[in-house]
Amino acid sequence: MAFFNPSEKLRPPAPWEEPESQLHAKAQGLLRKHGLEITKRWLNQLIIGIDDFSSLDEFPTQENIRTSLELLQGLAELVGDESRLPDFQPGGRYYERAAVLGMGGGAGEGAAVFASISRTMLAFENAILEQLQEDLRRDDRKIMGLVRRLHSGLHNLMLAANVACWSRTTGELDHMAHTDVLTGLNNRRLFVQELERHAQMFKRYHHPFSIMMFDLDGLKLINDTLGHHAGDDALRHLAALLRASIRDVDIACRYGGDEFLVLMPDTTRSPAEVVGARIADAMSKTKFKVDHSLVTLEVSVGNASCPEDGVQPEELLKEADAGLYRSKQQKARARTGT
């Protein structure tokens, strides 16, 4: 039988031997006691990550600091009582408060902002774990250090997966927002953005550009006599012809209804007129099959060039539309012999 030797020192209980309630109470007390120190650690980690003065605009405000302290008190409540978890889930008190920390996402857009917010939250978590690690026993600190390393690695794996998902999703949404559903060309929104961008580039770098405006002649007649499916096929046919006839740097769009626009960077008036005439000629020589009928399609063309016809987008669109009208008038006079 072994007897207790008073000269032997009592071994403190290992972390896994310590009653769970004591561990919870210890962690809860540390979070409540060191809330301000943890917030300071968090801010210091954010400061270290700042590499330019412009980023100071996104540095946490007093509201962020108050939110940090409030969330730490909430986490202390959660450590002591697991039933408080709903407060951290959607609709819960602390879930809503955490939104404040996401308002200053940093410079950039899309996935870059998401990554910035994620780094901010990782710094917040690390500040908590560092403070807890300092105040725990030596054996506990080793375990906490292991937890921190695993947590940082897993957090970055999660960030990589989320950023990839974010980029793919936003890319698909951006494509949908700037694409005409019927023809697959760019839509009016993207064309206006590009036209404004090229106008600004001309003001700065003096690079000329031109736009061509096309109108599918007789679309209403096709719709009325052959059906709207035939009209849609005719529009898609014109879209395909535009793709095949322009350069990769040119931007084609369906502007609306039967109107199409093409923006040609670094192109003056004469080359743009040649391309427009070539597209119109190719269209007129095409026999478009609808059911058992062959239909000849024609387009009218109007051109405008920067800076000859103006520098502002509105001026250029107005001139291209006027040229389109003149083209239609010439065709009408040719048909009537007047």
Side-chain angles (χ1 to χ4, degrees):
M1 178 180 296
F3 293 94
F4 173 69
N5 185 353
S7 64
E8 294 181 358
K9 293 183 178 181
L10 290 176
R11 176 182 61 83
W16 53 84
E17 296 174 331
E18 192 167 7
E20 187 176 10
S21 60
Q22 291 184 22
L23 284 173
H24 291 172
K26 181 186 295 185
Q28 186 178 47
L30 291 175
L31 287 172
R32 285 176 171 168
K33 178 181 178 181
H34 297 299
L36 186 58
E37 287 80 359
I38 292 172
T39 300
K40 289 179 180 178
R41 284 176 180 269
W42 172 52
L43 296 178
N44 286 334
Q45 289 189 35
L46 295 184
I47 291 174
I48 292 174
I50 293 178
D51 54 8
D52 60 85
F53 287 110
S54 62
S55 297
L56 291 174
D57 294 336
E58 286 80 38
F59 196 72
T61 61
Q62 291 297 320
E63 179 65 16
N64 294 82
I65 296 172
R66 286 193 295 270
T67 300
S68 169
L69 295 172
E70 185 176 342
L71 293 178
L72 287 169
Q73 291 302 310
L75 289 170
E77 296 173 6
L78 176 63
V79 167
D81 183 4
E82 191 176 6
S83 67
R84 304 300 299 270
L85 186 59
D87 289 339
F88 292 82
Q89 295 171 345
R93 170 187 175 188
Y94 296 114
Y95 183 93
E96 301 297 331
R97 287 296 294 149
V100 173
L101 301 183
M103 294 302 180
E109 57 183 26
V113 173
F114 182 85
S116 176
I117 296 172
S118 183
R119 286 191 293 269
T120 297
M121 296 310 300
L122 178 61
F124 185 58
E125 296 171 35
N126 278 334
I128 295 173
L129 296 178
E130 286 176 2
Q131 186 65 55
L132 291 177
Q133 186 175 7
E134 282 190 1
D135 292 317
L136 294 175
R137 293 185 315 225
R138 184 178 62 185
D139 289 339
D140 293 343
R141 288 199 295 270
K142 292 180 181 178
I143 294 176
M144 184 62 73
L146 175 62
V147 170
R148 282 184 55 204
R149 287 194 295 274
L150 286 173
H151 172 265
S152 295
L154 290 170
H155 179 92
N156 283 287
L157 292 177
M158 179 190 69
L159 174 59
N162 284 336
V163 166
C165 180
W166 178 296
S167 299
R168 177 175 57 83
T169 303
T170 54
E172 291 173 353
L173 291 175
D174 183 69
H175 177 75
M176 292 172 60
H178 294 98
T179 303
D180 176 61
V181 176
L182 178 64
T183 64
L185 294 180
N186 299 306
N187 63 14
R188 180 172 184 156
R189 176 188 298 177
L190 183 135
F191 187 88
V192 169
Q193 292 175 358
E194 287 297 319
L195 182 57
E196 291 175 347
R197 185 172 72 87
H198 279 77
Q200 291 299 321
M201 289 177 60
F202 174 80
K203 294 175 184 178
R204 179 173 297 183
Y205 304 112
H206 304 290
H207 290 300
F209 64 92
S210 297
I211 62 174
M212 299 181 295
M213 181 178 287
F214 297 89
D215 182 279
L216 183 57
D217 298 335
L219 179 62
K220 185 177 185 304
L221 180 61
I222 295 175
N223 286 332
D224 292 343
T225 58
L226 300 174
H228 285 275
H229 71 282
D232 290 345
D233 286 344
L235 291 170
R236 282 191 284 261
H237 179 74
L238 175 54
L241 180 60
L242 290 178
R243 289 193 193 93
S245 304
I246 62 177
R247 305 169 299 178
D248 290 341
V249 296
D250 297 334
I251 301 167
C253 88
R254 183 185 178 198
Y255 199 63
D258 57 357
E259 287 187 345
F260 293 76
L261 279 164
V262 176
L263 188 151
M264 305 181 70
D266 295 307
T267 304
T268 56
R269 180 195 298 277
S270 180
E273 290 178 343
V274 170
V275 174
R278 186 170 67 239
I279 292 173
D281 183 60
M283 192 71 169
S284 66
K285 293 178 179 178
T286 300
K287 295 297 182 180
F288 181 66
K289 185 175 181 180
V290 180
D291 296 329
H292 300 292
S293 304
L294 291 177
V295 180
T296 300
L297 300 176
E298 291 189 356
V299 292
S300 298
V301 188
N303 296 281
S305 298
C306 174
E308 297 96 317
D309 299 311
V311 175
Q312 298 301 326
E314 298 80 9
E315 297 174 322
L316 296 169
L317 288 172
K318 184 177 180 179
E319 176 56 31
D321 187 62
L324 185 66
Y325 178 78
R326 290 192 296 269
S327 175
K328 285 184 174 293
Q329 291 294 100
Q330 290 174 4
K331 287 183 178 181
R333 286 195 295 268
R335 284 194 296 270
T336 59
T338 60

